[in-house]
Amino acid sequence: MHLHVITLFPDMVSGWARLGVFGRAVSNGVLELSVSNPRDFTEDVHRTVDDRPYGGGPGMVMKAGPLSRTIAAALAQMPAGSPVVYLSPQGERFTQAVARELVAEPGLVLLAGRYEGIDERVIDAAVDRELSIGDFVVSGGELAAMVVADCVARLVPGVLGDPESAEQDSFSQGLLDCPHYTRPEQFDGREVPPVLLSGDHEAIRRWRLRLSLGRTWERRPDLLEGVELTDEQRELLDEYKAEAIASMGKKRIR
Ligand code: 9D3
């Protein structure tokens, strides 16, 4: 898959893209990443990328001309059919389900804005999808573009070493993850749950599933609304709830 990021801060993206799972996938040729800067597509001596908003008001707006030329140049280097995705606070909420749609594309052009945003005519003419990463404010689209690129990349076959890792990710199953422990067996007087040391793989699987269900019920009940639980899951969640009620006063329950 080919990912392209359009940004006024190319170093922000290229630095990140060399690291970790994403960086290894680029090195291995499983992913291609390219970055371009609208400043390189300006035609005036000052290399102007922004201007004052028509109608007045605070802040600046990214100019249509340089952006439009940057998008055209990027698309010319991308596989045919690659959509242009604009990261913006006005966008549709980015979720794991959106990531699963995007990974089916041959490539993505991720457009990161700065200032108050970009000239709306660029959106009308050249943007296929507008995405927000959540209801909070960051200073520009770059972090959002990296979130989307990273999330989609993890779904590309060969990016994660173990193909089961992507399947097991939280949200892929619609549940929060269970707790994790590693050596030592005692830390600061706190013990590892004995079942994890038992070697009983079936008991461990059921313990993990019970904790995943219980924590989802406690912390993110909204996630359970969309899921049809199996008989075993229903049983394990009921066990968790019974235990939570039995220990009321020690733990808060909702
Ligand atoms: C006063 C209006 N603000 C809109 C909420 C101005 C504004 C703030 C921050 C305009 C752009 C930005 C920069 N943010 C992004 O480009 C962005 C973003 C975000 O801030 N939150 C969540 N998702 C995204 S995707 C792109």
Side-chain angles (χ1 to χ4, degrees):
M1 184 172 207
H2 186 161
L3 301 171
H4 184 100
V5 181
I6 296 175
T7 168
L8 291 173
F9 297 97
D11 295 348
M12 205 173 154
V13 176
S14 54
W16 161 77
R18 279 192 287 272
L19 302 170
V21 162
F22 193 95
R24 188 170 335 104
V26 171
S27 299
N28 293 343
V30 178
L31 287 179
E32 186 173 356
L33 177 79
S34 46
V35 184
S36 61
N37 186 343
R39 207 172 291 283
D40 296 331
F41 293 83
T42 54
E43 293 173 344
D44 65 318
V45 292
H46 300 293
R47 312 226 298 160
T48 310
V49 292
D50 62 324
D51 205 340
R52 291 170 300 158
Y54 276 121
M60 300 291 271
V61 175
M62 287 180 76
K63 291 170 70 62
L67 276 178
S68 169
R69 291 188 289 275
T70 312
I71 293 168
L75 285 174
Q77 305 296 315
M78 299 292 293
S82 300
V84 176
V85 176
Y86 173 45
L87 290 311
S88 116
Q90 285 73 47
E92 161 200 3
R93 172 70 68 86
F94 178 69
T95 61
Q96 195 70 31
V98 173
R100 285 190 286 259
E101 291 176 23
L102 294 181
V103 75
E105 304 288 356
L108 299 173
V109 175
L110 300 170
L111 173 57
R114 281 274 154 173
Y115 317 117
E116 295 309 302
I118 73 177
D119 190 306
E120 191 72 15
R121 293 167 294 183
V122 174
I123 304 175
D124 297 339
V127 169
D128 298 298
R129 199 154 183 182
E130 198 170 338
L131 297 177
S132 162
I133 58 167
D135 295 340
F136 45 82
V137 182
V138 294
S139 298
E142 290 78 11
L143 286 168
M146 290 186 276
V147 165
V148 171
D150 188 85
C151 183
V152 171
R154 296 172 60 80
L155 300 177
V156 173
V159 168
L160 296 185
D162 179 358
E164 277 176 39
S165 309
E167 286 296 304
Q168 298 213 338
D169 263 348
S170 173
F171 299 115
S172 296
Q173 298 182 120
L175 296 176
L176 299 184
D177 208 351
C178 63
H180 300 285
Y181 300 86
T182 187
R183 293 189 294 179
E185 278 185 32
Q186 284 209 17
F187 176 73
D188 259 11
R190 295 167 194 271
E191 308 222 323
V192 175
V195 63
L196 298 179
L197 310 175
S198 70
D200 182 342
H201 299 297
E202 176 60 9
I204 292 168
R205 184 191 66 78
R206 286 172 59 86
W207 180 87
R208 286 179 169 160
L209 183 53
R210 179 164 54 83
L211 270 287
S212 280
L213 288 159
R215 281 148 57 108
T216 307
W217 169 69
E218 282 176 338
R219 303 176 186 195
R220 292 294 307 279
D222 57 303
L223 294 180
L224 288 178
E225 273 160 39
V227 199
E228 184 76 53
L229 297 183
T230 64
D231 288 350
E232 180 187 45
Q233 289 176 330
R234 183 83 256 159
E235 192 179 291
L236 290 171
L237 179 54
D238 286 346
E239 267 179 48
Y240 187 98
K241 288 181 181 178
E243 210 170 292
I245 290 161
S247 63
M248 265 176 76
K250 285 189 234 160
K251 282 182 196 164
R252 282 174 296 134
I253 83 150
R254 278 179 278 275

